[in-house]
Amino acid sequence: MSTNVHRLPNRDTALKALYDEIGAKNMFPFWATSADVQNDEIKQLMATSRAVPYLWRCAEDIEPILNRAVELVTMDDSERRSLVLVNPGLAPKRATVSTMYTAYRLNDADEIMPPHKHSPSAVRFGLKGKGNFTGVDGENIVFGPGDLVLTPNDTWHNHGTVGGEQALNLSVLDFPLVETLNAVHFDHHYAEEVNGVMVPMKQQSERFPSDYSQRIYGYGGLMPRFASKEKRGAGFSSPMFVYRWDMMRELLDRHKDWDGDAHEALMVEYIDPTTGQPVFKTITFFVQMLRPGERTLPLRQTANLLVAPFEGKGHSIVDGKRFDWNAHDTLAVPGGMWCEHVNGSDTDPVFLFVASDEPTQKKLDLYRKWGKTKDDNIVRLV
């Protein structure tokens, strides 16, 4: 029977009609009939939108736009003034890599937005200004450059500034991942119980001292048993909501003379101090230190990365293309691409803030990692 099909005199015409009918009925033919791209269904199946390596420049492109937005967009117009970085390979989808997006937020002096919560997990990383503000589940956190603040899944929080000056921070969210799973939800109707009645509120009442996270959870290996046993937020993340830069910097400085890892230099992961696991179930965060003149060996992993230089300048080579970056830029490193980082200074270290979807991939048994040796041989690392 199949032999006769291949001998049909108008086979090409019939195939085209078949493909047209399949497409009109919102289906896809998964078989390969030729090496021609038009009819090679494997090539078509693999030709979906994919993230590309890309660099966004903070000082040259992002800050000038945000400064104009401060003049044009007030808190009466919108509760947010953020720029989401959209990967050219994924546009118009709001995604910087396939599972995460980065957004830069500039708040004018003493702006405080109302509380909200959402299913995507998010962090804020301070870039400029000492008065960045985030209230998380009743803990009012003021943070500066290099401080990391969690706003976990389904946890009430609000953002803004205090102290009478503008402040800039960047956010990383797993929004594209949650969106793909059709699990995005937001809630902007915050209320608290007052005399037995739920009353709408514009700001959360302070239930914890402002240094609660640091005081209770900020000593590695030491966990106070007298701390509150109630879950923080929705209970899905690290209960430590702020990680201070001075402790991270001190730890890395203390180890600056260690050999480190040839493919990752010196990396420190932010973790849940009660479990030793990543701060979120879906995404994790690191600070990577490159000593003066240091260059990492090429590394390839299935995890998608967002790399934001915090101090110093240098360049990265991703998928064979060079990207020269400065402090506060953001570099998208899609999973599956070879990447290496280079510190461009012979005197000063570089610090990179890194976000990764590694936890999700590990839970699904999809995470893999390879490295190249100095002899350009490829070795399996994970």
Side-chain angles (χ1 to χ4, degrees):
M1 186 72 177
S2 60
T3 302
N4 293 333
V5 169
H6 285 290
R7 291 175 180 173
L8 287 174
N10 297 315
R11 180 171 178 269
D12 291 343
T13 301
L15 272 175
K16 184 179 185 306
L18 177 63
Y19 291 142
D20 289 345
E21 181 180 355
I22 290 171
K25 294 181 177 179
N26 298 307
M27 295 184 287
F28 181 84
F30 189 30
W31 57 74
T33 59
S34 80
D36 179 68
V37 173
Q38 182 179 354
N39 292 320
D40 186 339
E41 282 67 43
I42 291 180
K43 288 182 179 179
Q44 290 188 43
L45 188 68
M46 299 295 290
T48 54
S49 297
R50 295 192 176 198
V52 298
Y54 194 83
L55 179 69
W56 291 263
R57 302 187 181 281
C58 184
E60 295 91 333
D61 300 322
I62 295 171
E63 286 191 271
I65 293 174
L66 285 175
N67 285 325
R68 286 158 56 195
V70 166
E71 299 175 355
L72 298 172
V73 182
T74 70
M75 288 295 103
D76 292 331
D77 300 317
S78 173
E79 295 177 354
R80 292 172 178 81
R81 193 186 298 106
S82 300
L83 283 177
V84 177
L85 306 185
V86 176
N87 192 288
L90 300 173
K93 184 177 181 179
R94 290 173 297 168
T96 314
V97 288
S98 60
T99 53
M100 300 177 286
Y101 79 54
T102 289
Y104 285 72
R105 182 187 185 98
L106 179 64
N107 278 104
D108 207 358
D110 301 317
E111 290 182 333
I112 302 290
M113 67 175 287
H116 68 288
K117 65 177 182 175
H118 41 67
S119 52
S121 298
V123 299
R124 301 299 185 277
F125 187 76
L127 296 179
K128 292 185 176 181
K130 298 179 180 178
N132 276 299
F133 171 83
T134 294
V136 191
D137 193 38
E139 181 180 352
N140 290 336
I141 299 168
V142 178
F143 62 103
D147 293 337
L148 178 72
V149 178
L150 310 187
T151 52
N153 171 358
D154 208 29
T155 298
W156 288 104
H157 58 279
N158 62 332
H159 306 296
T161 50
V162 297
E165 65 175 2
Q166 290 184 348
L168 177 69
N169 62 69
L170 66 78
S171 309
V172 178
L173 290 82
D174 58 6
F175 189 101
L177 173 63
V178 180
E179 185 178 39
T180 298
L181 298 172
N182 199 30
V184 174
H185 64 77
F186 282 78
D187 189 346
H188 293 86
H189 303 290
Y190 181 72
E192 294 182 4
E193 185 175 334
V194 180
N195 297 324
V197 179
M198 296 303 294
V199 178
M201 305 283 282
K202 293 292 186 182
Q203 192 163 339
Q204 297 181 73
S205 297
E206 189 172 16
R207 298 189 296 114
F208 298 91
S210 59
D211 64 343
Y212 184 83
S213 284
Q214 197 67 41
R215 188 193 301 182
I216 297 298
Y217 301 106
Y219 296 87
L222 304 172
M223 185 60 58
R225 294 187 64 174
F226 51 81
S228 173
K229 297 298 189 297
E230 67 177 86
K231 68 179 183 181
R232 306 204 70 201
F236 301 142
S237 74
S238 168
M240 182 171 171
F241 291 157
V242 58
Y243 296 74
R244 298 296 182 183
W245 175 248
D246 56 356
M247 294 184 69
M248 174 64 76
R249 178 65 186 266
E250 179 189 359
L251 176 61
L252 286 165
D253 279 343
R254 251 192 287 146
H255 294 88
K256 63 184 178 182
D257 296 326
W258 283 51
D259 290 340
D261 183 275
H263 298 95
E264 295 183 323
L266 295 179
M267 288 192 78
V268 175
E269 185 175 11
Y270 297 92
I271 63 167
D272 178 340
T274 66
T275 65
Q277 298 300 308
V279 296
F280 296 141
K281 292 181 173 63
T282 51
I283 50 179
T284 190
F285 305 90
F286 308 87
V287 170
Q288 186 171 11
M289 178 183 180
L290 304 178
R291 279 71 62 96
E294 187 168 16
R295 179 181 191 134
T296 63
L297 290 176
L299 180 70
R300 175 175 174 254
Q301 56 187 309
T302 53
N304 298 281
L305 304 179
L306 294 171
V307 180
F310 178 61
E311 288 185 17
K313 62 181 181 179
H315 71 270
S316 300
I317 299 175
V318 185
D319 199 31
K321 184 177 179 180
R322 174 169 170 153
F323 297 88
D324 290 274
W325 37 256
N326 290 294
H328 304 165
D329 294 343
T330 289
L331 174 65
V333 182
M337 295 186 178
W338 288 102
C339 177
E340 53 191 298
H341 302 304
V342 182
N343 182 351
S345 172
D346 292 329
T347 57
D348 300 315
V350 158
F351 296 93
L352 307 174
F353 176 64
V354 181
S356 169
D357 61 8
E358 182 180 310
T360 296
Q361 296 202 13
K362 284 184 173 179
K363 288 180 177 64
L364 299 174
D365 296 326
L366 297 174
Y367 183 65
R368 303 290 186 273
K369 184 160 62 172
W370 301 265
K372 288 186 179 179
T373 66
K374 292 181 179 179
D375 299 325
D376 213 32
N377 295 316
I378 296 176
V379 293
R380 175 79 172 265
L381 301 175
V382 175

